[in-house]
Amino acid sequence: MKFRRNLLSVALLSATAMLAAQVHAQEAPAAQADADATAQSDTDATDLDRITVTGVRAGIERAIEAKRESTSIVEAISAEDIGKLPDVSIADSINRLPGLAAQRVAGRSSTISIRGLSGDYGTTLLNGREQVSVGDNRTVEFDQYPAELINGVVVYKTPDASLVGQGLSGTIDLRTVRPLAFPDRVVSLNARYEKNSLGELNPGTDDTGTRLSASYIDQFMDGTLGIALGLSRYDAPGQANRWEAWGYPTNNGGSPGNAVLGGSKSLASSTDNTRQGVMGVLQWRPNDAYETTLDLFHSEFEKAETTRFLEVGLGWSGATLVNPQVENGVVVGGTFQNVRPVLRNDLNEGDDELFAIGWNHTWQLGDYWTVSGDASYSSAERRESILETYSGTRAGVTDNVDFRLDQSTGKPTLTFGLDYTDPALIVLTDPGGWGQDGYIKTPQVEDEMTSFRLDFERSFDAGMFSGIEFGANHSEREKQRSVPEAFLELAGGPARGEPGADEVVVDPRFILNPVDLSFTGVPGSFGYDINGVLREYYVLADNINADILNKQWTVNEEQSTFYVQGNIDTYLGSVGLRGNVGVQVVNTDQSSDGFFLVAGDAANATPISGGTDYTDVLPSLNLSFLLPRDQTLRVAAARQMARPRIDQLRASNNSSIVFNQGGDQARWEGSGGNPALEPWEANAFDASYEKYFGESGYVSAAYFYKDLRTYIYDQQIQVDASGYPVPDGYTGPTPSPIGFSTSPANGRGGNLSGWEFAVSIPFNLFTPALEGFGIQANHSDTDSSIKRLGPDGPDEPIAGLSDKVTNITLYYERAGFQARVSQRKRSDFLGEIQGFGADRTPRYIKGEEVLDAQIGYSFADGTALEGLSLLLQVNNLTDEPYREYFFDSGLAQRYEEYGRSVLFGVGYTF
């Protein structure tokens, strides 16, 4: 595997060198031509100006232009490039850029890592304004943003002082359309039909869906007023066959010292995803001295995920292992006797809503001064319901199961003796002995931010600096989270904790066809109408405990940013020099409200608050040397920062009084959040070499280095415990006013470095015979000394880091025909998923290679079907599975297949 990755790096470098040599060879005679040849060249240039590039090539060329003209090191995507794939969300487009990678969640690209650092270290902007998120923290879930409503994306890998809201790993700026940039009215309509290859895994669900979008762009009042409107609706199926392992204990009596499967889950999941998006822009430019733009964005994402499965305790249960078959210290086969599976019918429903509005004004004051003001507001809200219901055999009825682990996937083939699709055998009950008949969690998140910004720019006619910029931004943010939880109790049965078993037969009117779990050898599992059964048989009993209150918090942040930046545009001899130098000063005042618990006593929790304020000084330098033969050398240095995860800032704490060995001294010890946390900070250096081939292609090689001066990880820290409430009836020694808490804290970091190589080449640069063909490819190789749990912790990677990330796209576009094949590949990494308790849970995820393909045809101008286009697309062409593993043993933790999605689309533009 390593050989293949290294080979790809060599191939990219070789292609770069070969192409540069070939084009240089073509340029050399031209450089030596006489005046007649120069005159002919001017005539050719005039002819070239008449060529209009459209479609995929147009999008690529606009992205290349954005990269070339930027004074920072950036990656870019244009609207044509997005719309031509076409991508389900903006995440699918972003993750093909050099140094970026996406994590799949339920088969969808969701969160983005930049240069080996997870979304916690980056920032997302919409039209230059920081955005809130529906998740627990700052990380934006990009599948909330329909690709059809985004006009372009710029990823800043190096910051400048005027970039407010910058991240440590990078900054992703999503941009909507500006209608006055279009010369004429444009109306575009698109419809696509989608089908999942796995079919309908759960009864009552659908394996087909649709995508509909419409956009309208127009200009009025002699081209001074522009309007853009966009609508998008996405109704799509999500299907998944999934298997999960509880773990692999090595102390099972049936095979001591060998790793044995502790428990197994065989699941079939069906999700109905509905996303609706609206984008609106009003742009007015009455004269050359004033312009104002009002833009609005709204997205709502609803999901209903039905999961039916069979869960059974094995090595971690009272079952007996017989006839174990051992290979390399792992029990790969055998029989467990006296098992009692839990048959689950679960329903996860969610409603996410995003809203953003911004109003910008720009004034040109004379020939040299420009002033701009901006006001914005964004909000996010998430409402979820995570419902579990259980059924199984009656008390005393057990089974035997034969199992065999698949060496390639890690998932087992299970053969039970009983038929778990038989309604006569199954009752609603607590077969796992968990002390509950079911459970429900209702996570809720609210996040809102208001920002105001004022900028000034003074331009100069001569000198090293073309202008100077300075300004300020003030933002206020509040994020709240809570996770109310309740037990499900079967009505009429004994209450929780009382003797006796609840056993209820499901009425036939609620019974559905069994779910097929044959991908793990299980013929099926009992299924029923989940909401109908919930209403008919269950009552709720609120659960109040320490973990639930720990997840209930509010965090407030006020941030004032001031900056000054000099823009460089000069020459060093014959070499052009562009760039900027500046400094940003950021003052943050943060606070949090939560709950203080004594020894986990949630019933008597008391409110607690905390916070701090701090100031960061962030200098930055970007230089671009414009070398001969369309070459650019960029160097950059900066102090970068990323604010702490919001859940780490929670004030909540759970502490107990502990005594010394003699019992005559006492102090508080506990765990919780840390509202006094300060940001991650890094000193960063970047260098990039770029060779451009006119407007149509480029090759690049980049190096980056980040030295994390501070890093956040759990530590035992001193806390002021003087105000902690002593429990009633306590008679021991007075606790010390200095307590200790295991909480996230700022500590020593490490360094992160890497190489990035990119090629974007139309093949007609080699020969006219390859007109229409082209390639976009990139490869990144990242190395890190940072340990996830701190410098003295185990050698575990930080979240989001894949050592190798590769993307390759081959395309063809000519005479109306379009074709594209894209592969994205990343090595193993530490990701995060929603785990038990609705918290973010770290998981080690196997590397993957995802392949997408599409073909299409656009009818030519002047024909009867002018403006009409057809599209056929297949996503996840090879049905690449999603796999997790246990870091210490490397054994499989989760194996999931999403199937391939086939889309057929029709578009019409006029």
Side-chain angles (χ1 to χ4, degrees), residues 75 114 121-125 153-159 163-173:
E75 308 296 342
I114 305 176
Y121 301 88
T123 306
T124 299
L125 315 178
V153 180
V154 176
V155 179
Y156 294 90
K157 292 181 175 178
T158 63
L163 183 63
V164 173
Q166 58 188 257
L168 187 150
S169 60
T171 306
I172 300 175
D173 188 8

Side-chain angles (χ1 to χ4, degrees), residues 649-886:
L649 294 174
R650 69 191 188 279
S652 301
N653 190 280
N654 182 7
S655 292
S656 301
I657 299 175
V658 298
F659 304 95
N660 65 349
Q661 189 171 3
D664 58 345
Q665 296 180 13
R667 73 180 191 189
W668 290 98
E669 289 188 7
S671 62
N674 182 2
L677 267 181
E678 297 189 9
W680 289 287
E681 284 192 352
N683 291 328
F685 171 79
D686 292 77
S688 175
Y689 167 79
E690 300 156 12
K691 164 63 181 174
Y692 292 91
F693 306 106
E695 299 177 350
S696 58
Y698 80 96
V699 294
S700 68
Y703 172 79
F704 65 90
Y705 176 85
K706 297 181 188 292
D707 178 18
L708 267 72
R709 303 171 65 247
T710 63
Y711 183 67
I712 298 173
Y713 55 94
D714 284 350
Q715 306 170 51
Q716 189 177 66
I717 59 174
Q718 289 189 4
V719 294
D720 179 5
S722 58
Y724 284 8
V726 176
D728 293 339
Y730 175 78
T731 58
T734 301
S736 168
I738 299 175
F740 292 85
S741 176
T742 301
S743 301
N746 297 98
R748 291 183 293 115
N751 60 70
L752 182 81
S753 62
W755 290 89
E756 296 170 349
F757 306 98
V759 176
S760 180
I761 296 295
F763 289 164
N764 64 346
L765 289 179
F766 297 102
T767 171
L770 294 177
E771 177 69 37
F773 289 96
I775 185 174
Q776 290 183 288
N778 58 75
H779 175 78
S780 62
D781 194 323
T782 306
D783 183 61
S784 171
S785 69
I786 306 168
K787 297 181 179 180
R788 182 172 71 93
L789 300 179
D792 299 323
D795 191 16
E796 298 181 11
I798 55 176
L801 175 62
S802 285
D803 293 339
K804 318 287 184 187
V805 177
T806 304
N807 296 280
I808 299 177
T809 296
L810 294 170
Y811 65 86
Y812 173 79
E813 183 176 45
R814 190 175 185 183
F817 290 97
Q818 306 115 25
R820 173 140 51 166
V821 177
S822 299
Q823 183 194 59
R824 57 184 188 269
K825 175 180 177 181
R826 68 181 303 186
S827 58
D828 294 6
F829 67 101
L830 177 65
E832 289 186 317
I833 65 169
Q834 186 181 63
F836 183 79
D839 283 328
R840 296 204 322 179
T841 302
R843 291 288 179 91
Y844 290 94
I845 301 173
K846 281 283 188 183
E848 58 186 16
E849 301 179 22
V850 180
L851 186 67
D852 301 324
Q854 73 167 63
I855 58 173
Y857 181 78
S858 298
F859 290 90
D861 293 348
T863 65
L865 298 178
E866 175 184 346
L868 182 68
S869 61
L870 306 175
L871 176 76
L872 178 64
Q873 181 180 358
V874 183
N875 292 331
N876 196 21
L877 184 64
T878 58
D879 193 10
E880 179 74 2
Y882 169 90
R883 295 178 294 173
E884 299 173 357
Y885 62 94
F886 291 99

Side-chain angles (χ1 to χ4, degrees), residues 193-201 205-209 237 239:
Y193 172 82
E194 178 178 351
K195 183 174 176 60
N196 188 280
S197 65
L198 293 180
E200 300 173 1
L201 296 182
T205 62
D206 204 343
D207 62 348
T208 63
Q239 305 287 341

